[in-house]
Amino acid sequence: MQIVIIGSGNVAYHMAKAFTLKSIPVAQLFGRNEKELKKISEELNIPSATDHLEKADLYIICVSDHSVGEVSKMITGKDCLVAHTSGSLSKEVLAGDYRKSSFYPLQTFSKSKELDYEKIPFFIEAENEKDQKILFDLASKISERVMDSNHEKRKYIHLTAVFACNFVNHLFSRAKEISDSQDIPFDYFLPLIDETVHKIHEIEPKMAQTGPAVRNDVRILQLHEQLLKDESLDIYKTMNHSIQKMYEL
């Protein structure tokens, strides 16, 4: 099967690398950023282009959500399968007469961070059973966790990921602002962060909750509020309110 990956960002890089590590040939990397394409092309030994899109059986579009529709118009072939990697978009956003699908990897991607691709869940959606199987089998060569999923379910998968990943990372950034303001090395908090994440591999998150809010320790909550201001104070109050509401305190 002739595969072309469209994009030069984090997702495109990791998809290309995952395929390469599993000896799945990628015929071309196509995108607009010549500099980034060249880096990926040289590292993974995959041909790249910015002006000519090769004919393929499968195109995997790895670009930002707001660009997917426009980029998909560049694919003019009809006898091909086209998949985007978005968690929030329907396959119908793809603008062409080809067969439409979704090939969604549930992970946060950075080019500088190594990943164990076998542990990354993939969620697959296609217009027919044949294409569903093609994508399912392809994902199964990369990952141990592959699941069929329609757009409605995928929206909730993506929403859950935002809470579990993006929001949590933002709280890490806010926490680092506080530790930096007091000249406390943030890496001293990494064992605590690691234990928090490791714990929910064994205990349901709701059962693993600790801290002053779940203890309803009003004195500590008020003390902390006196140390904060502006957005950090708003976040602190909102989070504690949510915790106490969940535990009916």
Side-chain angles (χ1 to χ4, degrees), residues 22 24 118 136-143 146:
K22 291 298 182 178
I24 301 170
E118 293 185 352
F136 195 97
D137 290 348
L138 178 63
S140 296
K141 291 179 180 179
I142 303 168
S143 172
V146 184

Coordinates of all heavy atoms in Angstrom, one line a residue, residues 22 24 118 136-143 146:
K22 N 8.4 0.2 12.3 CA 7.7 -1.1 12.1 C 7.8 -1.6 10.6 O 7.1 -2.4 10.2 CB 6.2 -1.0 12.4 CG 5.9 -0.8 13.9 CD 6.4 -2.0 14.7 CE 6.1 -1.9 16.2 NZ 6.5 -3.1 17.0
I24 N 7.0 -0.2 7.9 CA 5.9 0.2 7.0 C 6.3 1.3 6.1 O 6.6 2.4 6.6 CB 4.6 0.6 7.9 CG1 4.2 -0.5 8.8 CG2 3.5 1.0 6.9 CD1 3.2 0.0 9.9
E118 N 3.8 1.4 20.8 CA 3.0 0.3 21.0 C 1.9 0.6 22.1 O 0.9 -0.1 22.2 CB 3.8 -0.9 21.4 CG 4.7 -1.4 20.3 CD 5.4 -2.7 20.6 OE1 5.4 -3.1 21.8 OE2 6.1 -3.3 19.7
F136 N -7.5 -0.4 10.7 CA -7.4 -1.2 11.9 C -6.1 -2.0 11.9 O -5.4 -2.1 12.8 CB -8.6 -2.0 12.2 CG -8.8 -2.5 13.6 CD1 -9.6 -1.9 14.5 CD2 -8.1 -3.7 14.0 CE1 -9.7 -2.4 15.8 CE2 -8.2 -4.2 15.3 CZ -9.0 -3.5 16.2
D137 N -5.9 -2.7 10.8 CA -4.8 -3.6 10.6 C -3.5 -2.8 10.6 O -2.4 -3.2 11.2 CB -4.9 -4.4 9.4 CG -5.9 -5.5 9.4 OD1 -6.4 -5.7 10.5 OD2 -6.3 -6.1 8.4
L138 N -3.5 -1.6 10.0 CA -2.4 -0.7 9.9 C -2.0 -0.2 11.3 O -0.8 -0.3 11.7 CB -2.6 0.5 9.0 CG -1.5 1.5 8.9 CD1 -0.2 0.9 8.3 CD2 -2.0 2.7 8.0
A139 N -3.0 0.2 12.0 CA -2.7 0.7 13.4 C -2.2 -0.4 14.3 O -1.4 -0.2 15.2 CB -4.0 1.4 14.0
S140 N -2.8 -1.6 14.1 CA -2.4 -2.8 14.9 C -0.9 -3.2 14.7 O -0.3 -3.8 15.6 CB -3.3 -4.0 14.6 OG -4.6 -3.7 15.0
K141 N -0.3 -2.8 13.6 CA 1.1 -3.0 13.3 C 2.0 -2.1 14.2 O 3.1 -2.4 14.5 CB 1.4 -2.9 11.9 CG 0.8 -3.9 11.0 CD 1.2 -3.7 9.5 CE 0.6 -4.7 8.6 NZ 0.9 -4.5 7.2
I142 N 1.4 -1.0 14.6 CA 2.1 0.0 15.4 C 1.8 -0.2 16.9 O 2.7 -0.1 17.7 CB 1.7 1.4 15.0 CG1 2.0 1.7 13.5 CG2 2.4 2.5 15.8 CD1 1.3 2.9 13.0
S143 N 0.5 -0.3 17.2 CA 0.1 -0.3 18.6 C -0.7 -1.5 19.1 O -1.3 -2.3 18.3 CB -0.9 0.9 18.7 OG -1.5 0.9 20.0
V146 N -5.9 -0.7 19.7 CA -6.7 -0.1 18.6 C -8.1 -0.4 18.8 O -8.6 -1.5 19.2 CB -6.2 -0.8 17.2 CG1 -6.9 -0.1 16.1 CG2 -4.7 -0.7 17.1

